[in-house]
């Protein structure tokens, strides 16, 4: 009887642990502008600071797209996004908010 109770408790713990883990948020980002997208920042809605640049050392050239993965371990879907373009492009920094759990693709336009 004790063995069955322990196995049941372990199964419940494993199921709870699995459900508590956040899934990575994955979507395609398309640059439909005439300028190089140099920086892309995200942070969950309500967080007052931008997190690290998602691109790192990469950029997204005009007409290109790339798969973006947000793997921050959080269990939230709504993120603020900030896009910065190369200096001298004439394009202003753009900010938006999206539900990344529902988003399969995001295209930035001029």
């Amino acid at each position: 009887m004790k063995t069955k109770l322990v196995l049941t408790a372990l199964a419940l713990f494993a199921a709870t642990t699995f459900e508590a883990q956040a899934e990575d948020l994955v979507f395609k980002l398309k640059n439909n502008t005439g300028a190089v997208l140099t920086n892309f920042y995200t942070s969950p809605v309500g967080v007052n600071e931008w997190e690290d640049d998602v691109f790192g050392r990469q950029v997204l050239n005009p007409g290109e797209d790339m798969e973006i993965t947000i793997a921050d371990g959080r269990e939230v879907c709504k993120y603020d996004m900030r896009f910065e373009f190369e200096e001298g492009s004439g394009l202003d920094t753009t900010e938006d908010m999206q539900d990344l759990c529902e988003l399969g693709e995001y295209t930035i336009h001029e």
Side-chain angles (χ1 to χ4, degrees), residues 1-26:
M1 181 69 174
K2 282 185 177 181
T3 304
K4 187 175 182 181
L5 181 61
V6 169
L7 290 176
T8 302
L10 286 174
L12 286 172
F13 176 75
T16 303
T17 302
F18 180 73
E19 288 176 19
Q21 293 176 348
E23 291 186 30
D24 293 349
L25 302 172
V26 180

Side-chain angles (χ1 to χ4, degrees), residues 8 31 35 40 48 57 60 62 64 71 87-88 95 102 105-106:
T8 302
N31 182 358
F40 173 47
N48 294 327
R57 292 184 172 176
L60 189 58
E64 291 185 344
E87 202 171 309
E95 294 183 2
E102 299 294 323
E105 185 175 292
Y106 185 91

Side-chain angles (χ1 to χ4, degrees), residues 31-37 61-63 85-86 89 91 108-110:
N31 182 358
N32 198 22
T33 72
V36 176
L37 185 56
N61 291 307
F85 296 94
E86 70 183 336
S89 70
L91 295 179
I108 188 156
H109 302 275
E110 290 186 44

Side-chain angles (χ1 to χ4, degrees), residues 45-65:
V45 169
V47 173
N48 294 327
E49 294 181 16
W50 292 109
E51 301 196 349
D52 293 336
D53 182 7
V54 174
F55 287 165
R57 292 184 172 176
Q58 297 179 325
V59 297
L60 189 58
N61 291 307
E64 291 185 344
D65 61 65

Side-chain angles (χ1 to χ4, degrees), residues 76-92:
V76 298
C77 291
K78 293 186 178 178
Y79 279 76
D80 292 319
M81 301 186 298
R82 179 180 174 96
F83 303 94
E84 296 178 354
F85 296 94
E86 70 183 336
E87 202 171 309
S89 70
L91 295 179
D92 294 329

Side-chain angles (χ1 to χ4, degrees), residues 67-79:
E67 185 173 277
I68 301 292
T69 302
I70 309 284
D72 60 9
R74 293 186 173 107
E75 294 181 19
V76 298
C77 291
K78 293 186 178 178
Y79 279 76

